[in-house]
Amino acid sequence: TSIEGIIAHSAPQALLLAGRHAPQLIIFDLFIGGMDGFDAIRHLTSDVGFQPATVVATSLSLSSEISQKAMRSGATEVLERPLHARVIGRLLHSLR
């Protein structure tokens, strides 16, 4: 299978690109900038016209409070960065 990746450099750009490309998997840095990452995930997961299969929230530094807030915002999973190839492989396998 082929995988096409798209990189956004801000939360607003990520929302725009997600709307254009309707990805099955979004790996979203909670502190990417441009807007609150938790609000951005809420926006992504509440948009009726766009329902990604999986939204994974990431951060370089996670606490249980941040993880819980991300899950309440609509993230499917919360993972601490750096993400390893094994983790990405598991996420992609779950989409099959």
Side-chain angles (χ1 to χ4, degrees), residues 41 54-58 70-71 74-79 87 90-91 94:
I41 290 174
T54 305
V55 176
V56 177
T58 68
M71 294 298 285
T76 307
E77 284 192 59
V78 182
L79 301 172
V87 173
R90 182 177 52 83
L91 290 170
S94 73

Side-chain angles (χ1 to χ4, degrees), residues 2 4-7 9 14 29-30 38 42-43 46 51-52 57 66 68 70 74-76 79 86 88 95:
S2 66
E4 180 182 337
I6 300 168
I7 297 174
H9 299 285
D29 185 336
L30 290 168
F38 303 100
R42 270 192 287 286
H43 181 76
S46 67
Q51 291 297 316
I66 290 172
Q68 290 171 8
T76 307
L79 301 172
R86 188 174 353 112
I88 300 297
L95 293 174

Side-chain angles (χ1 to χ4, degrees), residues 4-81:
E4 180 182 337
I6 300 168
I7 297 174
H9 299 285
S10 69
Q13 183 185 29
L15 295 175
L16 179 67
L17 290 171
R20 281 188 192 153
H21 298 281
Q24 292 181 313
L25 171 65
I26 296 174
I27 301 173
F28 199 93
D29 185 336
L30 290 168
F31 304 102
I32 190 173
M35 73 185 290
D36 182 276
F38 303 100
D39 287 340
I41 290 174
R42 270 192 287 286
H43 181 76
L44 283 170
T45 57
S46 67
D47 185 346
V48 176
F50 172 72
Q51 291 297 316
T54 305
V55 176
V56 177
T58 68
S59 178
L60 282 172
S61 178
L62 285 178
S63 66
S64 62
E65 180 183 330
I66 290 172
S67 295
Q68 290 171 8
K69 186 175 179 181
M71 294 298 285
R72 284 193 307 269
S73 297
T76 307
E77 284 192 59
V78 182
L79 301 172
E80 190 166 23
R81 288 196 347 254

